Amino acid sequence: MKNFIEEVTWRGMLHDVMPGTEEHLMEQMRVAYVGIDPTADSLHIGHLVGVMLLKHFQLSGHKPVALIGGATGMIGDPSGKSNERNLLDEPTLRHNQDSIKAQLSRFLDFTSDVPNAAELVNNYDWMKDFSFLEFIRDVGKHITVNYMMAKDSVKKRLSSESAEGMSFTEFTYQLVQGYDFLHLYKNKSCTLQMGGSDQWGNITTGTEMVRRIEAGKAYALTCPLITKADGTKFGKSEGGNIWLDSARTSPYKFYQYWLNTSDVDAEKYIKIFTFLSKEEIEDLTIKHKEAPHLRLLQKRLADEVTIMVHSSADLDNAVKASNILFGNATSDDLKQLDEATFLDVFDGVPQAEISKSEVEAGLDIVSVLNEKTSFFKSNGEARRALTANSISVNREKVKEDYVLTSNDLINQQFVLLQSGKKNYFVVRVV
C-alpha cells in the first residue's frame, strides 16, 4: 500500500483534504470516485487531472470508480450559461459513456480480476427512477437550506451582480451530487470523493449526507484548478478544447500543445501529467535550468503525455511532423505524413488548386509558382527566386528547368512549395 496523499502532495495535485483522510487510506484498500461530465464522446485534457488522480489511487493499491454524470447530463448546465453542457438524450449519453470508458481504459485497469480493478458507473442508472417526491422526502429533508446557503459556491452566485439570481436547479445541484456519494457509499463501500477545488462544497455535501443518513464517515479531497502562467485557460487552443480523441485533436496538435508550454508550466505539468518519479523529475528540472534553450522539460512532457494518451507510433509521427517545419526533413519524410497530419502541420498556409490532369501531363515550375498558384506575382520574380536557389518542392531545392509531375504528390493530392526558410505554399491537386 503506497501513501496516496504523500504522492499527490509532492506532485502539486492536492488543494484541500478532509482531516483523517491519509490515515483512513493507510488502513486498508479503499474506494474513491471522480465525477466526469458526459457532454461529449471524448474527454479533453481538462479531465486529465481527475483521471490521473484515479490512476495514482489505483497504483497506491486502492479501487478507483469513474462516475459518468448521466443524470446531470440530462439536466444540462443548471446556470444556463454554458454552451458545452447541453441537454442530452439517453442514446447520446450511452454513446458518450462507452466512448469515455474506452479512453479511460488507457489509464485504468477495468478488466483484471484484482480486488482494486476500476469500475465505471453512471448516476443516471440510479437517478432515472427517482420521483421528485421521493427525492425531497428521502434526501432533501436531511440537508437544511442553512447548510446549503453556507456553501461558497452558493454565496458567490447569490452575491454576484447578475440580476438573474440562482435557479432552483442550480441551487439543488449539490443535493444530486451529494446523493451520488451516498449511493456509492451504500452500494460500493466508497468513502472518498475527489474533484477540482471548485467542487469542494458539493463534495462535502456528500460527506454530510453519509454522516446524517447512514451515520457513516466519508472523506473529501480536491486538486487545484490547473492554470497557465500567462493567465490563459489551460486545455484550450485557438481551435477550442484539446481532446483525447485523435479524430477531434490530432496527435500532432496534441503533441504541439505540450511542447509549447512555458518553462514555468512545464515544471508544474510534468509532475501532474506524467508518472515519472520524483528523482527523475528533479534531475530533469536541474538539466533544463542549465540549458533552457534545449527545452528538455517540454520535450519529455510532450513525449510522455502523447504516448500515454495515444501511442509510441503516434508520438513518432508527431515528432516527424514537427521536424517538417523546424528540422531537416526530406521529401520522403513529407510523403510519410497522413492527410490529417499534413493539413495540421500546414494549417493557415496559403493554398491553391491545380487539376490532376495538368500535373500528370507535367507543369514547368515557373508557371506553377506564378500563374497556377500566385505564390509569386510574376514569372520574372519566380525566375529570380529559382536562380537564387531559394525555391524548394517538397523540401528539395529545384532549378528553373524543373517539371512538376504526379511523382511529386504527397498523399496523391498535395505539393509543398517553399521560398526561403519560412514562406510555404500548399498546392492541392484535384
Side-chain angles (χ1 to χ4, degrees):
M1 189 81 65
K2 267 172 69 177
N3 189 322
F4 172 71
I5 300 297
E6 205 173 79
E7 181 74 16
V8 295
T9 299
W10 79 257
R11 288 186 180 274
M13 298 173 76
L14 188 68
H15 187 272
D16 280 312
V17 62
M18 201 172 271
T21 304
E22 185 172 7
E23 295 77 8
H24 175 71
L25 295 178
M26 293 304 291
E27 288 170 1
Q28 64 185 71
M29 185 189 85
R30 301 294 186 186
V31 182
Y33 88 95
V34 167
I36 295 170
D37 194 4
T39 47
D41 59 2
S42 172
L43 301 174
H44 51 72
I45 61 173
H47 293 111
L48 264 185
V49 187
V51 175
M52 297 300 275
L53 276 176
L54 288 175
K55 179 62 175 177
H56 282 300
F57 196 71
Q58 191 169 40
L59 290 173
S60 298
H62 301 293
K63 184 180 180 70
V65 173
L67 180 142
I68 301 293
T72 37
M74 297 288 278
I75 298 168
D77 176 23
S79 69
K81 292 193 171 80
S82 171
N83 293 324
E84 294 178 356
R85 295 184 60 188
N86 298 319
L87 275 70
L88 302 174
D89 57 31
E90 191 171 352
T92 305
L93 278 172
R94 294 300 177 196
H95 166 71
N96 291 357
Q97 176 181 327
D98 292 343
S99 302
I100 289 169
K101 183 174 183 179
Q103 288 182 334
L104 289 173
S105 297
R106 290 194 62 82
F107 302 86
L108 303 171
D109 173 13
F110 287 98
T111 56
S112 72
D113 53 6
V114 293
N116 69 326
E119 277 191 58
L120 187 80
V121 296
N122 187 334
N123 65 3
Y124 182 66
D125 292 334
W126 57 82
M127 293 301 294
K128 64 181 178 183
D129 298 323
F130 230 138
S131 74
F132 178 68
L133 291 176
E134 284 174 320
F135 191 80
I136 59 173
R137 179 193 68 198
D138 298 339
V139 180
K141 71 176 182 183
H142 294 283
I143 302 294
T144 66
V145 170
N146 306 55
Y147 177 85
M148 294 168 72
M149 294 282 284
K151 298 290 183 185
D152 284 342
S153 55
V154 175
K155 282 183 188 172
K156 281 177 188 169
R157 288 284 287 126
L158 290 176
S159 62
S160 70
E161 294 176 8
S162 169
E164 297 166 17
M166 189 179 196
S167 71
F168 173 76
T169 310
E170 198 178 353
F171 179 58
T172 54
Y173 187 91
Q174 61 177 289
L175 292 181
V176 177
Q177 188 169 329
Y179 182 76
D180 286 341
F181 200 172
L182 177 66
H183 177 89
L184 292 176
Y185 176 86
K186 288 163 64 176
N187 294 278
K188 302 282 183 187
S189 302
C190 180
T191 54
L192 173 65
Q193 184 184 169
M194 304 185 288
S197 57
D198 58 336
Q199 291 293 308
W200 181 257
N202 292 337
I203 294 173
T204 51
T205 297
T207 64
E208 188 65 9
M209 274 191 196
V210 169
R211 186 184 73 81
R212 293 187 184 190
I213 298 173
E214 290 294 309
K217 180 70 176 165
Y219 298 85
L221 180 154
T222 60
C223 58
L225 295 178
I226 306 301
T227 56
K228 288 174 74 173
D230 63 4
T232 57
K233 191 169 182 181
F234 169 76
K236 295 273 188 181
S237 69
E238 288 178 11
N241 287 323
I242 304 295
W243 300 92
L244 306 197
D245 184 347
S246 58
R248 287 172 173 260
T249 300
S250 70
Y252 167 75
K253 280 193 171 174
F254 186 86
Y255 173 77
Q256 283 292 322
Y257 180 85
W258 300 100
L259 196 61
N260 290 324
T261 53
S262 68
D263 288 352
V264 174
D265 288 336
E267 197 172 330
K268 177 170 70 172
Y269 295 167
I270 202 160
K271 295 176 187 174
I272 298 170
F273 297 109
T274 77
F275 295 105
L276 297 178
S277 68
K278 191 174 186 180
E279 294 71 30
E280 280 180 285
I281 290 173
E282 286 172 351
D283 182 52
L284 197 60
T285 304
I286 290 166
K287 287 178 180 172
H288 176 86
K289 286 178 176 174
E290 288 169 354
H293 63 284
L294 297 178
R295 298 178 68 77
L296 296 177
L297 273 177
Q298 285 91 338
K299 286 176 181 174
R300 188 63 187 276
L301 171 67
D303 286 0
E304 293 286 328
V305 185
T306 304
I307 289 174
M308 180 175 67
V309 171
H310 296 291
S311 69
S312 296
D314 286 322
L315 170 64
D316 290 343
N317 289 335
V319 172
K320 281 179 190 169
S322 299
N323 289 336
I324 300 292
L325 283 180
F326 310 113
N328 299 312
T330 64
S331 176
D332 287 340
D333 293 330
L334 266 178
K335 287 176 180 176
Q336 286 175 24
L337 294 183
D338 59 74
E339 180 184 353
T341 306
F342 180 87
L343 291 172
D344 275 343
V345 172
F346 297 104
D347 185 28
V349 170
Q351 293 187 16
E353 290 186 354
I354 296 179
S355 73
K356 200 162 195 172
S357 58
E358 286 182 288
V359 174
E360 285 171 347
L363 276 171
D364 71 273
I365 190 64
V366 174
S367 68
V368 171
L369 292 171
N370 174 24
E371 61 187 276
K372 297 295 180 185
T373 64
S374 299
F375 187 20
F376 284 85
K377 291 173 184 171
S378 68
N379 285 345
E381 193 180 332
R383 287 195 178 94
R384 283 192 293 275
L386 287 159
T387 303
N389 201 33
S390 65
I391 299 299
S392 299
V393 172
N394 297 337
R395 297 307 295 265
E396 292 183 355
K397 297 285 186 183
V398 297
K399 300 290 187 186
E400 192 176 333
D401 60 355
Y402 192 81
V403 176
L404 194 75
T405 70
S406 50
N407 291 334
D408 294 306
L409 296 185
I410 299 164
N411 268 294
Q412 303 301 310
Q413 58 181 321
F414 301 112
V415 177
L416 179 68
L417 304 177
Q418 187 177 350
S419 172
K421 284 189 176 180
K422 295 183 178 176
N423 295 319
Y424 292 98
F425 197 100
V426 172
V427 176
R428 189 187 282 265
V429 179
V430 293

